[in-house]
Amino acid sequence: PVMILLGPPGAGKGTQARMLEEEEGLVQLSTGDMLRAAVAQGTAAGLAAQAVMAAGGLVPDEIVLAILQERMAAPDSAKGIILDGFPRTEGQAAALDALLASAGRRVTAAVSLEVDDEAMVGRVSGRFTCGSCGEGYHDEFRKPAQPGSCDRCGGTEMKRRADDNAVTVRERLKAYHAQTAPLIRWYEEKGVLERIDAMAPIAEVREALGRITRGVT
Ligand code: AP5
Ligand code: ZN
């Protein structure tokens, strides 16, 4: 299958995509992760993307498409993919259709994770992860037992995303509503849209996604 996860910042796209990768054998393709890796490596794409990401805007389609195309061509992605944070514009959605068609594939399901905007600002600002094992924490909702030390691996280097502050999160929400939310209609017209209440607990969202993945909706 080719699954798309649509939803604003903090909706749980990354959380769910990682679980589907581990448990259903799909390959997670996150353009956000790819862009952050490019920034960290200081590649040309990374240099072009860095300031836009820090301001909460969308990186130009050409840059995102170049990065994604490279990963989609990898043999492991033939088993089935879950796109996390892509497409985000109509241009990207059209490019994805063309790319899939050239490989005899198409979008199986586009899942809209439906959430409340105000709750998302709180979910995203305050989030941080362990630099060694990637475990996720939150200033209010999920503090490590020992401040500054990871519960899972004992690592002491905590990382925060540069764009996870309240001001930038609001810009990211604006970009979502202006440029990405119209894709809900786009996929509805193609007959592949599914909606999930993503204010529900993580395990419930996971179950609903599992049913869609297995084609029992
Ligand atoms: P990206 O990395 O895609 O960020 P995002 O869309 O803003 O999403 P997040 O990663 O913040 O949230 P998420 O939905 O994955 O939620 P998560 O699972 O982490 O993009 C970053 C930037 O890169 C963009 O702003 C843009 O500049 C650029 N970019 C990326 N792709 C692009 C593209 N295609 N085109 C152009 N530019 C692009 O969950 C959040 C938190 O909530 C976690 O702490 C989690 O534990 C918790 N949580 C999750 N689910 C639940 C639940 N059901 N109940 C309670 N808590 C929950
Ligand atoms: Zn850790």
Side-chain angles (χ1 to χ4, degrees):
V2 177
M3 305 260 296
I4 293 172
L5 293 184
L6 289 171
K13 304 182 295 294
T15 303
Q16 297 294 337
R18 276 189 292 277
M19 288 195 278
L20 290 171
E21 176 164 87
E22 273 177 33
E23 299 161 15
E24 311 267 352
L26 299 176
V27 175
Q28 175 195 14
L29 298 179
S30 159
T31 45
D33 287 350
M34 292 174 204
L35 288 166
R36 278 184 290 279
V39 169
Q41 287 157 16
T43 65
L47 290 173
Q50 190 164 24
V52 185
M53 291 174 76
L58 292 187
V59 174
D61 286 355
E62 314 80 71
I63 294 178
V64 177
L65 282 165
I67 275 188
L68 180 86
Q69 230 162 323
E70 211 175 287
R71 273 298 282 118
M72 268 188 42
D76 64 342
S77 78
K79 288 183 292 190
I81 55 180
I82 177 134
L83 292 162
D84 154 14
F86 179 93
R88 258 176 155 94
T89 63
E90 289 199 3
Q92 292 179 13
L96 174 65
D97 280 351
L99 198 64
L100 289 171
S102 70
R105 306 170 85 181
R106 58 180 199 83
V107 173
T108 324
V111 184
S112 169
L113 299 177
E114 316 238 303
V115 292
D116 170 67
D117 272 13
E118 277 315 302
M120 291 310 105
V121 178
R123 243 193 225 179
V124 177
S125 352
R127 149 178 91 169
F128 59 96
T129 55
C130 169
S132 316
C133 75
E135 184 75 4
Y137 295 97
H138 194 280
D139 288 330
E140 272 176 71
F141 310 137
R142 195 179 179 296
K143 300 179 195 177
Q146 302 275 336
S149 155
C150 176
D151 294 348
R152 190 163 124 193
C153 76
T156 53
E157 195 207 321
M158 296 294 174
K159 286 195 307 191
R160 247 171 232 275
R161 269 169 58 175
D163 58 349
D164 279 354
N165 58 79
V167 174
T168 310
V169 174
R170 285 189 196 281
E171 288 306 316
R172 287 157 59 195
L173 275 171
K174 274 193 220 161
Y176 174 78
H177 287 293
Q179 297 179 77
T180 307
L183 294 181
I184 294 175
R185 183 81 197 282
W186 162 289
Y187 287 113
E188 197 163 36
E189 281 168 1
K190 291 185 186 287
V192 294
L193 185 77
E194 304 278 351
R195 296 174 192 267
I196 292 184
D197 171 15
M199 294 303 288
I202 292 176
E204 272 180 38
V205 177
R206 168 69 185 88
E207 270 189 30
L209 273 168
R211 284 194 294 274
I212 293 169
T213 311
R214 294 185 294 271
V216 194
T217 53

